[in-house]
Amino acid sequence: MKLQVITSNQGKLREFQAALPQVEIIHNDADCDEIQADTLEEVVLSCIEQLRSKGLNNFILDDSGLFVDGLQGFPGVYSSYVLRTIGNAGLLQLMDGRTERQARFKSCIGALIDSEVIIAHGECQGKIAFAESGTEGFGFDPIFIPDGYEVSFAELSLAEKNKISHRGNALRAFSAQFNSR
Ligand code: IMP
């Protein structure tokens, strides 16, 4: 089956391709207006309906965010805005002097397959580093150290990140639903 991955993020696209070897991935950078919402799932469902109304079918997308415990879950659903504005350096500044550095990445995957909606979730627990490190991946990867590791996501290969990441976990949950249709 051919599945269109809706994203303008090349890093995400590579992770989708690696995690879904059973489907033929086609890249589509169709746009949807990201609504302001309190949850990733609301954003995903809104995007799915916007794209469905444009006549698209058999596609998959994800909305993700970094939720920092010590910042009451911020930046969460505002992750993309925060990266665009203050970036990793700004987030590290917000964490200055804080010893509580626990955080989690969350991913909500949404797909429209043969006009039916599939939703899957994934998380990855970790902590915010004290400095950026690594050159792999994208976004917040250089400042996120997954639990059980001493290095950031940006120091892991794509395959290693996918094994433990929020998106990898969400894509495995998606695959289970997709395969049992
Ligand atoms: P989006 O709205 O799902 O595209 O993601 C929100 C923000 O979080 C974007 O700026 C992404 O770069 C960032 N982000 C999403 N997933 C990851 C990830 O796996 N690693 C690092 N940053 C991510």
Side-chain angles (χ1 to χ4, degrees):
M1 143 155 234
K2 289 185 183 164
L3 206 48
Q4 304 172 73
V5 177
I6 313 288
T7 184
S8 54
N9 180 326
Q10 292 299 315
K12 273 192 193 181
L13 180 63
R14 279 193 288 276
E15 291 181 14
F16 272 90
Q17 281 164 332
L20 296 174
Q22 76 275 31
V23 293
E24 186 183 338
I25 297 286
I26 309 168
H27 180 215
N28 185 332
D29 58 7
D31 235 359
C32 77
D33 292 329
E34 267 206 21
I35 56 160
Q36 189 132 333
D38 287 344
T39 65
L40 301 174
E41 184 164 336
E42 285 171 81
V43 175
V44 165
L45 287 170
S46 153
C47 275
I48 288 177
E49 292 315 321
Q50 289 179 49
L51 296 170
R52 191 205 297 259
S53 70
K54 289 183 187 165
L56 260 69
N57 196 4
N58 295 329
F59 61 82
I60 184 167
L61 51 88
D62 102 324
D63 196 46
S64 317
L66 178 64
F67 297 74
V68 182
D69 289 1
L71 302 177
Q72 286 74 47
F74 185 81
V77 290
Y78 306 105
S79 290
S80 128
Y81 180 75
V82 165
L83 256 180
R84 263 200 326 273
T85 51
I86 61 173
N88 282 330
L91 189 53
L92 286 180
Q93 260 178 33
L94 288 181
M95 296 297 289
D96 221 14
R98 291 175 190 267
T99 46
E100 156 66 282
R101 304 189 75 89
Q102 207 56 37
R104 76 213 68 237
F105 264 118
K106 292 187 197 178
S107 163
C108 177
I109 298 275
L112 191 67
I113 312 283
D114 297 335
S115 302
E116 255 186 57
V117 174
I118 297 179
I119 296 288
H121 297 270
E123 285 195 19
C124 180
Q125 309 282 338
K127 54 184 182 301
I128 302 299
F130 287 94
E132 297 183 47
S133 57
T135 52
E136 298 293 318
F138 61 95
F140 298 110
D141 282 349
I143 62 164
F144 183 80
I145 300 177
D147 280 356
Y149 289 72
E150 301 289 323
V151 295
S152 77
F153 261 173
E155 293 173 274
L156 298 180
S157 69
L158 188 150
E160 285 171 317
K161 179 183 169 189
N162 255 358
K163 261 189 231 160
I164 55 167
S165 76
H166 49 305
R167 188 164 299 103
N169 289 332
L171 284 167
R172 279 180 282 280
F174 164 78
S175 290
Q177 293 187 57
F178 179 79
N179 293 331
S180 67
R181 284 173 313 135

